[in-house]
Amino acid sequence: MEFVEKINIELKPWIDNRLHTTVLDLFAGCGGLSLGFEAHGFRTIAYEMDEYAAETYNRNLLGKCVQETLTVDSVYPKADIVIGGPPCQPFSVGGKQLGLQDARDGFPIFLAAVKQLEPEVVLFENVRGMLYKNKWYLHEVVNALEKFGYYIRYSLLNAVDYEVPQNRERVIVIGAKQKINLPKKANKRIAAGQALGELALQHDDSSKFLTESMDQYVAKYEKASKCVTPRDLHLNKPARTLTCRNLAGSTGDMHRIRLQDGRRRRLTVREAARLQSFPDWFEFAGNETQQFNQIGNAVAPYFAYHLARQVKKYLLGNAENSSSLRDARQLNLFAHETIYQSRTVKNI
């Protein structure tokens, strides 16, 4: 099965009626993490402050995303699993190293939700810096969760090891009332060319080509950063990490494709979405910059799919491989097909 066909099918939301659980997704963005869970049959409800990200979530997922700015006093509906990507200011460049006492930090909100709901499973992701220079803060959060009674496992995982065509390192923390493990790496890596297919060679009047001055700017950037290999998108291997900055901004580090005639153009929204493993039927709200920002901030959905599978195994044992589960999934996919049948590939 080709990569795009695979994610278009496997990442379709459905309801597994054996799962009497609800997933609460905090700081949900456009729904990349929730999509991985809904693709395994989980019911979700989410909270996100950004208007366009919340609209994107509601366009594509079965669960509802509430547009709201969360606080430690927020009250949530009952949920058995709490997930999310809390924003973390205490160890940013402008942070003051205040840890859980920093009012700008999302982790006190995440921990308050866990304390309020006492879910069976908790899971969050964050940038790689949380495991290195700022490991002290990771320990604060983990210690708080352990005091709530959770067995915690965490590690730096790369989405490229979970069938995402992009090098994207993230700290993943998972906890449960009983021992739970992080997912094992997949045996297959996906190249950017496998994800983009014919899109990589296409261009039209709307394509954004690099000008001569931009080419010169990029050359100076790569020389200054001692870049040996040009940072164009190489179709024979996974992409570099996608960020809001290198997707939406005209920077020296911007993502771009070199065409056969030597010209270089910037990625389209759909191409960026594919490199993040979003299915082609997934529609983004907002203007181009807002869509790029949603993609750059998202948890790669197929990475989330592997994380959700591990949670499901914890809840259901090894039923993931049983024929009864496959039959249940097919019935639910058929039932929800009308939601997606009108959606076609949109090369934005």
Side-chain angles (χ1 to χ4, degrees), residues 257-274:
I257 293 176
R258 185 180 292 274
L259 300 175
Q260 292 177 327
D261 61 9
R263 291 183 298 169
R264 295 191 290 186
R265 66 165 177 80
R266 296 173 62 181
L267 294 185
T268 65
V269 168
R270 182 50 56 198
E271 287 168 334
R274 281 195 185 180

Side-chain angles (χ1 to χ4, degrees), residues 15-292:
I15 302 295
D16 187 343
N17 290 319
R18 298 173 309 153
L19 292 171
H20 303 291
T21 57
T22 298
V23 177
L24 174 67
D25 189 354
L26 303 178
F27 315 101
C30 66
L33 188 53
S34 279
L35 181 56
F37 275 81
E38 286 201 2
H40 278 290
F42 287 95
R43 294 173 173 84
T44 70
I45 183 169
Y47 289 81
E48 166 59 39
M49 65 181 292
D50 182 80
E51 173 187 358
Y52 297 102
E55 182 181 342
T56 295
Y57 190 111
N58 288 324
R59 281 188 187 182
N60 296 280
L61 283 85
L62 298 180
K64 176 179 175 55
C65 182
V66 179
Q67 184 196 347
E68 182 178 319
T69 299
L70 299 176
T71 72
V72 292
D73 298 316
S74 295
V75 177
Y76 308 98
K78 183 182 182 301
D80 314 279
I81 302 168
V82 174
I83 63 176
C88 199
Q89 296 295 332
F91 53 81
S92 68
V93 174
K96 298 181 180 179
Q97 305 288 302
L98 297 177
L100 291 173
Q101 305 306 312
D102 195 316
R104 303 164 300 162
D105 181 25
F107 277 101
I109 296 171
F110 187 87
L111 292 173
V114 173
K115 184 177 181 180
Q116 177 190 141
L117 298 171
E118 299 181 343
E120 179 66 26
V121 178
V122 297
L123 183 150
F124 69 81
E125 64 89 32
N126 214 281
V127 296
R128 70 188 306 274
M130 198 176 190
L131 192 58
Y132 293 101
K133 181 180 178 181
N134 302 289
K135 195 170 183 177
W136 63 272
Y137 187 59
L138 175 62
H139 286 163
E140 278 196 32
V141 177
V142 168
N143 289 341
L145 289 171
E146 288 176 338
K147 288 179 181 178
F148 291 159
Y150 294 96
Y151 294 92
I152 302 295
R153 297 293 301 272
Y154 64 86
S155 184
L156 182 69
L157 303 183
N158 193 333
V160 77
D161 294 319
Y162 300 90
E163 302 180 271
V164 175
Q166 176 196 167
N167 280 287
R168 191 177 188 85
E169 291 184 315
R170 288 294 185 271
V171 175
I172 301 298
V173 178
I174 190 169
K177 296 295 181 66
Q178 301 179 44
K179 291 184 178 180
I180 188 171
N181 294 315
L182 290 161
K184 295 181 180 179
K185 295 179 180 180
N187 295 322
K188 184 179 181 181
R189 286 198 171 191
I190 309 297
Q194 291 174 266
L196 299 187
E198 62 183 14
L199 294 183
L201 305 177
Q202 296 177 354
H203 61 88
D204 55 30
D205 292 341
S206 66
S207 298
K208 296 184 177 180
F209 290 97
L210 274 66
T211 63
E212 183 178 350
S213 61
M214 291 172 70
D215 277 328
Q216 293 173 355
Y217 177 75
V218 168
K220 290 180 180 178
Y221 172 86
E222 292 184 339
K223 182 178 180 180
S225 59
K226 298 180 180 180
C227 180
V228 176
T229 304
R231 308 197 82 182
D232 300 335
L233 187 69
H234 299 281
L235 300 180
N236 63 340
K237 60 183 182 181
R240 294 182 284 120
T241 303
L242 274 65
T243 68
C244 300
R245 181 175 178 274
N246 64 28
L247 287 175
S250 297
T251 68
D253 198 38
M254 76 179 80
H255 274 278
R256 66 264 178 177
I257 293 176
R258 185 180 292 274
L259 300 175
Q260 292 177 327
D261 61 9
R263 291 183 298 169
R264 295 191 290 186
R265 66 165 177 80
R266 296 173 62 181
L267 294 185
T268 65
V269 168
R270 182 50 56 198
E271 287 168 334
R274 281 195 185 180
L275 293 177
Q276 270 282 55
S277 73
F278 279 100
D280 279 350
W281 51 257
F282 198 95
E283 301 175 357
F284 296 90
N287 61 34
E288 183 182 71
T289 297
Q290 290 159 343
Q291 293 178 31
F292 274 137

Side-chain angles (χ1 to χ4, degrees), residues 315-332:
L315 295 174
L316 297 181
N318 294 318
E320 178 73 10
N321 297 316
S322 71
S323 59
S324 62
L325 175 59
R326 289 195 299 271
D327 292 343
R329 189 177 196 281
Q330 289 303 316
L331 286 172
N332 279 279

Side-chain angles (χ1 to χ4, degrees), residues 298-346:
V299 176
Y302 210 60
F303 181 33
Y305 180 83
H306 284 270
L307 297 173
R309 175 188 290 166
Q310 200 68 13
V311 174
K312 191 167 188 176
K313 285 181 178 180
Y314 169 83
L315 295 174
L316 297 181
N318 294 318
E320 178 73 10
N321 297 316
S322 71
S323 59
S324 62
L325 175 59
R326 289 195 299 271
D327 292 343
R329 189 177 196 281
Q330 289 303 316
L331 286 172
N332 279 279
L333 283 175
F334 178 78
H336 293 292
E337 187 62 31
T338 54
I339 299 174
Y340 304 102
Q341 62 185 0
S342 64
R343 290 177 179 155
T344 57
V345 173
K346 294 191 177 182

